[in-house]
Amino acid sequence: MTRVLVVEDDPQLVRALVINLQARHYGVDAAPDGTTALRLAAERQPDVVLLDLGLPDMDGVDIVKDLRAWSRVPILILSARQASDEKVAALDAGADDYITKPFSINELLARLRAAIRRTEDIAIAPETTLVETEDFSIDLLANKVLRDGRDVRLTPTEWHLLEILVTNPGRLITQKHLLKEVWGVSQSNKTNYLRVYMAKLRRKLEKDPSHPRYLITEPGMGYRFEG
Protein backbone atom coordinates (compact mmCIF):
# COMPACT_ATOMS: atom_id res chain seq x y z
CA MET A 1 0.00 0.00 0.00
CA THR A 2 1.27 3.44 -0.95
CA ARG A 3 1.65 5.59 2.15
CA VAL A 4 0.94 9.33 2.11
CA LEU A 5 1.94 11.75 4.86
CA VAL A 6 -0.40 14.76 4.99
CA VAL A 7 1.15 17.74 6.80
CA GLU A 8 -1.62 20.28 7.27
CA ASP A 9 -3.08 22.22 10.22
CA ASP A 10 -6.57 22.76 8.78
CA PRO A 11 -8.68 19.93 10.27
CA GLN A 12 -11.39 20.16 7.60
CA LEU A 13 -8.88 19.89 4.77
CA VAL A 14 -7.10 17.03 6.51
CA ARG A 15 -10.38 15.17 6.90
CA ALA A 16 -11.25 15.66 3.22
CA LEU A 17 -7.80 14.50 2.11
CA VAL A 18 -7.84 11.44 4.38
CA ILE A 19 -11.30 10.38 3.18
CA ASN A 20 -10.42 10.80 -0.50
CA LEU A 21 -7.04 9.12 -0.22
CA GLN A 22 -8.28 6.17 1.82
CA ALA A 23 -11.17 5.69 -0.61
CA ARG A 24 -8.51 5.15 -3.28
CA HIS A 25 -6.61 2.67 -1.11
CA TYR A 26 -3.78 4.88 0.04
CA GLY A 27 -2.47 4.54 3.56
CA VAL A 28 -2.59 7.95 5.24
CA ASP A 29 -0.83 9.53 8.20
CA ALA A 30 -1.59 13.11 9.19
CA ALA A 31 0.51 15.66 11.06
CA PRO A 32 -0.81 19.06 12.23
CA ASP A 33 2.66 20.60 12.64
CA GLY A 34 6.25 20.29 11.52
CA THR A 35 7.57 18.51 14.58
CA THR A 36 5.01 15.73 14.25
CA ALA A 37 5.59 15.57 10.50
CA LEU A 38 9.33 14.97 10.84
CA ARG A 39 8.76 12.29 13.48
CA LEU A 40 6.16 10.48 11.37
CA ALA A 41 8.33 10.75 8.25
CA ALA A 42 11.15 8.96 10.07
CA GLU A 43 8.89 6.35 11.68
CA ARG A 44 6.48 5.58 8.83
CA GLN A 45 8.71 6.14 5.78
CA PRO A 46 5.94 7.53 3.54
CA ASP A 47 6.02 7.15 -0.24
CA VAL A 48 4.95 10.76 -0.77
CA VAL A 49 4.45 13.88 1.40
CA LEU A 50 1.72 16.52 0.98
CA LEU A 51 3.04 19.57 2.78
CA ASP A 52 1.41 22.88 3.70
CA LEU A 53 3.87 25.77 3.81
CA GLY A 54 2.12 27.60 6.66
CA LEU A 55 2.34 25.51 9.84
CA PRO A 56 2.03 26.63 13.48
CA ASP A 57 5.54 25.67 14.61
CA MET A 58 7.74 25.60 11.49
CA ASP A 59 7.87 26.99 7.99
CA GLY A 60 7.27 24.40 5.32
CA VAL A 61 10.53 25.27 3.57
CA ASP A 62 12.44 24.24 6.70
CA ILE A 63 10.63 20.90 6.71
CA VAL A 64 11.59 20.34 3.07
CA LYS A 65 15.23 21.03 3.93
CA ASP A 66 15.11 18.68 6.93
CA LEU A 67 13.56 15.88 4.87
CA ARG A 68 16.01 16.36 2.02
CA ALA A 69 18.91 15.89 4.43
CA TRP A 70 18.11 12.17 4.53
CA SER A 71 15.24 11.32 2.15
CA ARG A 72 14.32 11.54 -1.54
CA VAL A 73 10.60 11.06 -0.85
CA PRO A 74 8.47 13.12 -3.30
CA ILE A 75 7.21 16.30 -1.62
CA LEU A 76 4.16 18.11 -3.01
CA ILE A 77 3.58 21.59 -1.63
CA LEU A 78 0.02 22.67 -0.76
CA SER A 79 0.13 26.45 -0.63
CA ALA A 80 -2.36 29.28 -0.16
CA ARG A 81 0.46 31.81 -0.47
CA GLN A 82 0.21 34.06 -3.51
CA ALA A 83 3.85 35.17 -3.72
CA SER A 84 5.66 33.02 -6.25
CA ASP A 85 9.03 33.58 -4.56
CA GLU A 86 7.83 31.64 -1.51
CA LYS A 87 6.83 28.69 -3.66
CA VAL A 88 10.09 28.91 -5.56
CA ALA A 89 11.99 28.83 -2.26
CA ALA A 90 10.27 25.56 -1.39
CA LEU A 91 11.06 24.11 -4.82
CA ASP A 92 14.69 25.21 -4.58
CA ALA A 93 14.87 23.57 -1.15
CA GLY A 94 13.93 20.26 -2.78
CA ALA A 95 10.16 20.05 -3.15
CA ASP A 96 9.01 18.24 -6.29
CA ASP A 97 5.80 20.06 -7.13
CA TYR A 98 3.34 22.68 -5.85
CA ILE A 99 -0.41 22.90 -5.79
CA THR A 100 -2.07 26.22 -5.06
CA LYS A 101 -5.06 26.34 -2.70
CA PRO A 102 -7.90 26.05 -3.32
CA PHE A 103 -7.44 23.01 -5.56
CA SER A 104 -9.63 20.25 -6.94
CA ILE A 105 -9.18 16.80 -5.46
CA ASN A 106 -8.84 15.40 -8.98
CA GLU A 107 -5.89 17.68 -9.71
CA LEU A 108 -4.27 16.74 -6.40
CA LEU A 109 -4.70 13.01 -7.09
CA ALA A 110 -3.27 13.40 -10.59
CA ARG A 111 -0.21 15.22 -9.27
CA LEU A 112 0.14 12.60 -6.54
CA ARG A 113 0.04 9.72 -9.03
CA ALA A 114 2.58 11.49 -11.24
CA ALA A 115 4.98 11.95 -8.32
CA ILE A 116 4.69 8.30 -7.39
CA ARG A 117 5.22 7.19 -10.99
CA ARG A 118 8.41 9.21 -11.20
CA THR A 119 9.85 7.44 -8.18
CA GLU A 120 8.91 4.06 -9.66
CA ASP A 121 10.49 4.85 -13.03
CA ILE A 122 14.14 4.05 -13.51
CA ALA A 123 16.02 7.29 -13.16
CA ILE A 124 18.14 8.45 -16.07
CA ALA A 125 21.59 7.26 -15.05
CA PRO A 126 24.93 8.40 -16.49
CA GLU A 127 25.20 5.25 -18.60
CA THR A 128 21.78 5.89 -20.14
CA THR A 129 22.44 7.32 -23.57
CA LEU A 130 19.05 7.77 -25.20
CA VAL A 131 15.91 9.75 -24.34
CA GLU A 132 13.17 9.17 -26.90
CA THR A 133 9.90 10.97 -27.58
CA GLU A 134 7.44 10.62 -30.45
CA ASP A 135 9.00 13.62 -32.20
CA PHE A 136 12.72 13.55 -31.41
CA SER A 137 15.47 11.58 -29.68
CA ILE A 138 18.35 12.79 -27.54
CA ASP A 139 21.68 10.94 -27.25
CA LEU A 140 23.10 12.17 -23.96
CA LEU A 141 26.46 10.50 -24.48
CA ALA A 142 27.06 11.87 -27.97
CA ASN A 143 25.43 15.25 -27.29
CA LYS A 144 23.22 14.67 -30.30
CA VAL A 145 19.56 15.36 -31.07
CA LEU A 146 17.64 13.81 -33.97
CA ARG A 147 14.29 14.98 -35.30
CA ASP A 148 12.66 13.28 -38.28
CA GLY A 149 15.93 11.43 -38.86
CA ARG A 150 17.96 14.65 -39.13
CA ASP A 151 20.49 16.18 -36.79
CA VAL A 152 19.25 19.16 -34.80
CA ARG A 153 22.02 21.68 -34.27
CA LEU A 154 22.10 23.00 -30.72
CA THR A 155 24.44 25.57 -29.23
CA PRO A 156 26.35 24.56 -26.08
CA THR A 157 23.97 26.69 -24.00
CA GLU A 158 20.88 25.14 -25.60
CA TRP A 159 22.30 21.67 -25.02
CA HIS A 160 23.12 22.34 -21.36
CA LEU A 161 19.63 23.67 -20.72
CA LEU A 162 17.99 20.71 -22.48
CA GLU A 163 20.20 18.19 -20.68
CA ILE A 164 19.17 19.47 -17.24
CA LEU A 165 15.48 19.25 -18.12
CA VAL A 166 15.50 15.79 -19.76
CA THR A 167 17.53 14.21 -16.96
CA ASN A 168 14.83 15.33 -14.51
CA PRO A 169 11.71 14.17 -16.40
CA GLY A 170 8.45 15.50 -15.02
CA ARG A 171 10.13 17.56 -12.34
CA LEU A 172 9.76 21.32 -12.15
CA ILE A 173 13.20 22.92 -12.38
CA THR A 174 13.16 26.46 -11.06
CA GLN A 175 14.38 29.51 -12.94
CA LYS A 176 16.95 30.14 -10.22
CA HIS A 177 18.41 26.66 -10.55
CA LEU A 178 18.61 26.82 -14.34
CA LEU A 179 20.21 30.27 -14.32
CA LYS A 180 22.81 29.14 -11.83
CA GLU A 181 23.61 25.88 -13.62
CA VAL A 182 23.68 27.22 -17.18
CA TRP A 183 24.87 30.81 -16.78
CA GLY A 184 26.28 30.90 -13.26
CA VAL A 185 23.85 33.59 -12.18
CA SER A 186 20.68 33.48 -10.11
CA GLN A 187 19.42 37.05 -10.35
CA SER A 188 15.72 37.12 -11.11
CA ASN A 189 16.21 39.91 -13.65
CA LYS A 190 18.11 37.48 -15.89
CA THR A 191 15.04 35.32 -16.58
CA ASN A 192 14.96 36.80 -20.09
CA TYR A 193 17.90 34.47 -20.82
CA LEU A 194 15.65 31.51 -20.12
CA ARG A 195 12.74 32.82 -22.17
CA VAL A 196 14.97 33.39 -25.19
CA TYR A 197 16.68 30.01 -25.06
CA MET A 198 13.54 28.04 -24.27
CA ALA A 199 11.90 29.68 -27.29
CA LYS A 200 14.86 28.58 -29.41
CA LEU A 201 14.65 25.00 -28.14
CA ARG A 202 10.92 24.86 -28.81
CA ARG A 203 11.38 26.08 -32.36
CA LYS A 204 13.92 23.33 -32.94
CA LEU A 205 12.12 20.47 -31.15
CA GLU A 206 8.39 21.10 -30.82
CA LYS A 207 5.89 20.54 -33.63
CA ASP A 208 3.93 23.54 -32.40
CA PRO A 209 6.30 25.83 -30.46
CA SER A 210 3.42 28.07 -29.33
CA HIS A 211 1.71 25.08 -27.70
CA PRO A 212 4.63 22.99 -26.45
CA ARG A 213 4.13 19.34 -25.58
CA TYR A 214 7.55 18.57 -24.10
CA LEU A 215 9.16 21.77 -22.84
CA ILE A 216 6.57 23.11 -20.41
CA THR A 217 6.55 26.51 -18.71
CA GLU A 218 5.27 26.90 -15.16
CA PRO A 219 4.65 30.69 -15.14
CA GLY A 220 6.79 32.51 -12.61
CA MET A 221 8.34 29.25 -11.42
CA GLY A 222 10.42 27.44 -13.99
CA TYR A 223 10.26 24.70 -16.60
CA ARG A 224 9.73 20.96 -16.85
CA PHE A 225 10.32 18.28 -19.46
CA GLU A 226 7.43 15.92 -20.15
CA GLY A 227 8.57 12.91 -22.19
Side-chain angles (χ1 to χ4, degrees), residues 21 25 28 35 37 58-59 75 79 84 97 100 104 126 129-130 140 151 170 176 180 198 201 210 212 215-216 227:
L21 289 168
H25 309 292
V28 186
T35 302
M58 296 175 66
D59 189 82
I75 302 171
S79 176
S84 63
D97 203 349
T100 303
S104 74
T129 61
L130 195 63
L140 293 168
D151 285 339
K176 179 181 177 182
K180 183 177 180 181
M198 288 300 296
L201 281 173
S210 62
L215 302 171
I216 309 301

Side-chain angles (χ1 to χ4, degrees), residues 1-5 22 25-30 44-49 73 112 116:
M1 178 182 290
T2 301
R3 297 213 64 83
V4 180
L5 174 58
Q22 288 181 341
H25 309 292
Y26 291 99
V28 186
D29 296 300
R44 304 288 284 174
Q45 297 289 310
D47 298 293
V48 64
V49 176
V73 62
L112 183 67
I116 294 169

Side-chain angles (χ1 to χ4, degrees), residues 4 8 15 52 54 74 78 101 106 121 135 141 145 155-156 167 170 182-183 198 224 227:
V4 180
E8 170 63 61
R15 183 172 181 272
D52 182 22
L78 308 178
K101 298 177 181 176
N106 287 335
D121 290 341
D135 299 311
L141 190 61
V145 180
T155 67
T167 53
V182 179
W183 287 278
M198 288 300 296
R224 74 171 86 229

Side-chain angles (χ1 to χ4, degrees), residues 5-223:
L5 174 58
V6 176
V7 187
E8 170 63 61
D9 63 342
D10 180 342
Q12 289 185 325
L13 180 54
V14 170
R15 183 172 181 272
L17 290 173
V18 170
I19 289 171
N20 279 280
L21 289 168
Q22 288 181 341
R24 291 161 177 83
H25 309 292
Y26 291 99
V28 186
D29 296 300
D33 53 56
T35 302
T36 306
L38 293 172
R39 176 177 58 80
L40 286 176
E43 292 176 358
R44 304 288 284 174
Q45 297 289 310
D47 298 293
V48 64
V49 176
L50 301 179
L51 174 63
D52 182 22
L53 287 181
L55 296 167
D57 62 337
M58 296 175 66
D59 189 82
V61 174
D62 293 327
I63 296 173
V64 174
K65 291 177 180 177
D66 283 348
L67 287 173
R68 282 291 169 259
W70 59 272
S71 174
R72 294 307 306 163
V73 62
I75 302 171
L76 279 65
I77 299 297
L78 308 178
S79 176
R81 299 178 181 178
Q82 297 300 314
S84 63
D85 58 343
E86 293 183 276
K87 299 172 190 174
V88 169
L91 293 164
D92 280 333
D96 295 271
D97 203 349
Y98 72 93
I99 303 167
T100 303
K101 298 177 181 176
F103 51 81
S104 74
I105 194 67
N106 287 335
E107 178 189 2
L108 172 66
L109 291 168
R111 299 282 191 98
L112 183 67
R113 290 192 298 269
I116 294 169
R117 278 198 305 273
R118 288 197 291 272
T119 63
E120 293 172 345
D121 290 341
I122 299 173
I124 295 178
E127 63 270 18
T128 301
T129 61
L130 195 63
V131 177
E132 293 188 281
T133 73
E134 292 181 7
D135 299 311
F136 56 86
S137 63
I138 305 167
D139 188 329
L140 293 168
L141 190 61
N143 288 18
K144 191 173 183 178
V145 180
L146 290 177
R147 181 180 177 188
D148 298 326
R150 299 180 180 179
D151 285 339
V152 177
R153 293 181 178 273
L154 298 182
T155 67
T157 298
E158 290 168 351
W159 173 261
H160 194 180
L161 184 58
L162 181 64
E163 184 180 36
I164 293 171
L165 292 170
V166 302
T167 53
N168 292 277
R171 182 168 184 178
L172 174 60
I173 309 299
T174 63
Q175 294 174 344
K176 179 181 177 182
H177 180 81
L178 289 169
L179 286 167
K180 183 177 180 181
E181 289 296 315
V182 179
W183 287 278
V185 297
S186 59
Q187 297 96 324
S188 60
N189 63 347
K190 302 295 185 182
T191 55
N192 60 304
Y193 291 176
L194 287 173
R195 288 194 296 272
V196 169
Y197 276 89
M198 288 300 296
K200 290 181 178 180
L201 281 173
R202 286 173 176 145
R203 284 196 296 270
K204 293 180 178 183
L205 299 178
E206 298 275 5
K207 283 187 174 179
D208 183 356
S210 62
H211 297 89
R213 174 179 175 183
Y214 304 103
L215 302 171
I216 309 301
T217 300
E218 293 283 359
M221 303 293 173
Y223 302 88

